[in-house]
Amino acid sequence: MRVGAETETGMSRLSLSDTDKQARDWFHETCTGLGCKVNTDAMGNQFAIRPGLSNDRPPTYAGSHLDTQPTGGRYDGILGVTAAVEMLKVLNDNWVETNYPVGVVNWTNEEGARFPMSMVSSGVWAGSIPLEKAHELRSVIPANDPATMKTELQRIGYLGEVPCSWEATPMAAHFELHIEQGPILEAEDRRVGVVQGVQSYKWFTLTVKGRDSHTGATSFQHRADALLTASKMILASHKIAAKHSALASTGILGLRPGSTNTVPGFVQFSLDIRAPQDETVNAVEAECREAFSSLAAGENVLSINDGCAPSSRTCSVEWRTDFTSPATHFHDNCIACVQAAGSDLCSGSSSSQVQGKDIGAWGKLMTSGAGHDSVYANKRCPTSMIFVPCRDGVSHNPTEYSNPEACADGANVLLGAVVRYDKMRGERGT
């Protein structure tokens, strides 16, 4: 048995399922037992609040989510919540009195696996997603499930009476511990990632239309092959993104008619474009739009047609923008608290001196490639994140694993960051 194999049982805790109810019950009972008041809002978000010396200001929060992918791991989101609950226990065990309240949050349906809108409940809290739209989301697991978010919140007893809004449940700050979900920290032997923001991304659906025809009776010259054209577009997106140091990916592809001896006349595929800056994503999109139109018309773009047989027939291409998430830049004070806590833990120094991207061998300043609830929290309060390494960068998979030492590092940095932020608030009276 290799190291960590005993944890590789995976986790399937879909949002608002019976197992999610069990986890929510554990959260409520554990935090109540630690002396916290636990509130639940209209999206099922749970907020545990530990009183401070002064309770006339909003809490400093830590947290993440407890729901998983259908065949997920045991760390994505879960580490951030359990470490935040452990933070409460450490504060109690050491009789630490914070200047202001400290809270822990469990956000609902971050994954968007069962109800297909990721980070939906933090989005409602931030005022970016209407409550009615979120409540009406239909379950997609299992297929043809008639349940909605609202009916399932009612069924498991977590449709809270508190309005889901940043006004009803204000936060002074939001800190989120998470596994990296990528290979960089492990590859560079870094213990902690200090997350400065989340990269920009856009999702599109492309529809390519050609003409169905017989594979044996139609020469290359007379084909309008939608699949061949779409494949050239996908390759073009890769080349264009690489030129801009961005990312472009296709994860969904469908075609018609789907017969071995028929040239496809209809193809749809997804396109995901990501980069740290909005301007870069927009540039990649613009170049892809131009290149795709040229490829549909049979023109040679980026030498993609080299070696291919010419055709007298052309295809058409249509774009649909499905989702846009602008780049998120976290708050300097929160980033500084995470960095100081990491430096103090890993190097014995709380110096915040930064030279470029080098903060010492222990850590790395990073931009998250994936979306998190912190994206929406950042719209309403100062926010930052902490990353710890995960083996081979694997996530959303039963083999997802972060060793106990890495989990402890993350939990300690989370605690240190929250305490530092509370101290800063006390000094400033904010």
Side-chain angles (χ1 to χ4, degrees):
M1 179 182 294
R2 70 177 184 271
V3 174
E6 69 275 8
T7 71
E8 292 172 8
T9 58
M11 181 70 69
S12 180
R13 183 160 55 231
L14 294 171
S15 185
L16 310 186
S17 62
D18 291 343
T19 52
D20 188 31
K21 171 179 167 51
Q22 292 173 358
R24 290 167 172 276
D25 292 346
W26 165 84
F27 180 89
H28 187 279
E29 293 166 7
T30 302
C31 292
T32 301
L34 291 171
C36 297
K37 180 180 180 181
V38 182
N39 298 320
T40 303
D41 70 15
M43 284 300 297
N45 297 318
Q46 294 177 283
F47 304 91
I49 302 172
R50 179 182 188 266
L53 293 172
S54 176
N55 295 293
D56 59 346
R57 304 289 174 85
T60 299
Y61 276 92
S64 194
H65 61 96
L66 291 172
D67 66 309
T68 75
Q69 291 287 328
T71 55
R74 300 164 65 92
Y75 299 85
D76 174 2
I78 301 165
L79 175 61
V81 176
T82 55
V85 172
E86 180 68 13
M87 173 190 71
L88 297 176
K89 187 174 187 301
V90 170
L91 293 175
N92 283 356
D93 289 348
N94 291 275
W95 295 88
V96 176
E97 294 182 308
T98 54
N99 292 298
Y100 299 105
V102 168
V104 176
V105 57
N106 169 35
W107 297 105
T108 299
N109 194 55
E110 189 273 352
E111 295 290 355
R114 184 182 182 198
F115 302 97
M117 186 178 291
S118 63
M119 307 176 294
V120 62
S121 298
S122 55
V124 174
W125 174 88
S128 299
I129 299 172
L131 176 67
E132 294 76 15
K133 181 177 182 179
H135 272 176
E136 292 170 2
L137 282 174
R138 290 281 297 270
S139 169
V140 295
I141 302 175
N144 302 316
D145 186 354
T148 65
M149 285 204 77
K150 185 173 183 179
T151 62
E152 286 296 86
L153 283 166
Q154 292 171 326
R155 184 184 70 82
I156 67 171
Y158 277 93
L159 180 64
E161 297 181 358
V162 177
C164 182
S165 72
W166 61 274
E167 296 101 336
T169 308
M171 294 184 174
H174 181 274
F175 291 90
E176 183 173 6
L177 168 63
H178 209 280
I179 60 171
E180 181 194 351
Q181 298 182 286
I184 296 173
L185 291 174
E186 183 184 56
E188 297 185 5
D189 196 25
R190 310 262 186 171
R191 292 171 65 180
V192 177
V194 179
V195 186
Q196 296 177 298
V198 178
Q199 67 180 344
S200 172
Y201 63 95
K202 287 186 176 181
W203 291 350
F204 306 95
T205 296
L206 282 297
T207 301
V208 181
K209 295 179 181 178
R211 188 177 71 172
D212 302 352
S213 57
H214 195 289
T215 59
T218 311
S219 68
F220 285 151
Q221 181 183 356
H222 296 94
R223 293 184 183 187
D225 190 331
L227 180 57
L228 179 61
T229 302
S231 68
K232 292 176 181 179
M233 292 175 181
I234 294 168
L235 178 56
S237 72
H238 176 89
K239 289 188 172 186
I240 293 167
K243 183 181 74 172
H244 288 274
S245 298
L247 297 170
S249 304
T250 292
I252 301 173
L253 188 148
L255 60 84
R256 294 201 300 262
S259 170
T260 300
N261 62 344
T262 303
V263 175
F266 178 93
V267 172
Q268 271 194 340
F269 65 94
S270 65
L271 181 63
D272 178 321
I273 302 174
R274 300 186 186 228
Q277 304 298 329
D278 296 332
E279 296 78 7
T280 306
V281 170
N282 292 337
V284 172
E285 177 193 351
E287 290 190 31
C288 283
R289 285 181 179 270
E290 182 178 355
F292 289 9
S293 293
S294 297
L295 288 166
E299 299 173 17
N300 193 9
V301 175
L302 300 171
S303 301
I304 288 173
N305 282 345
D306 287 359
C308 293
S311 174
S312 61
R313 300 189 181 278
T314 61
C315 296
S316 65
V317 58
E318 298 173 0
W319 287 69
R320 185 183 76 210
T321 302
D322 297 321
F323 188 71
T324 298
S325 180
T328 298
H329 304 284
F330 291 146
H331 197 278
D332 288 344
N333 287 338
C334 291
I335 295 170
C337 287
V338 171
Q339 184 179 324
S343 181
D344 189 50
L345 172 70
C346 300
S347 66
S349 169
S350 59
S351 170
S352 59
Q353 185 67 32
V354 179
Q355 296 181 350
K357 293 288 185 180
D358 185 10
I359 59 175
W362 62 269
K364 186 179 184 70
L365 295 172
M366 307 184 73
T367 297
S368 173
H372 300 279
D373 287 311
S374 288
V375 170
Y376 283 119
N378 190 68
K379 293 179 181 293
R380 296 301 179 182
C381 69
T383 299
S384 187
M385 294 186 69
I386 303 152
F387 279 171
V388 292
C390 55
R391 187 179 59 210
D392 298 328
V394 173
S395 184
H396 289 187
N397 186 288
T399 61
E400 178 182 278
Y401 179 72
S402 189
N403 66 45
E405 293 77 16
C407 294
D409 281 346
N412 279 312
V413 173
L414 180 68
L415 170 64
V418 169
V419 170
R420 279 172 171 79
Y421 196 85
D422 177 76
K423 180 180 178 182
M424 182 191 71
R425 293 180 67 193
E427 292 170 349
R428 298 181 180 184
T430 57

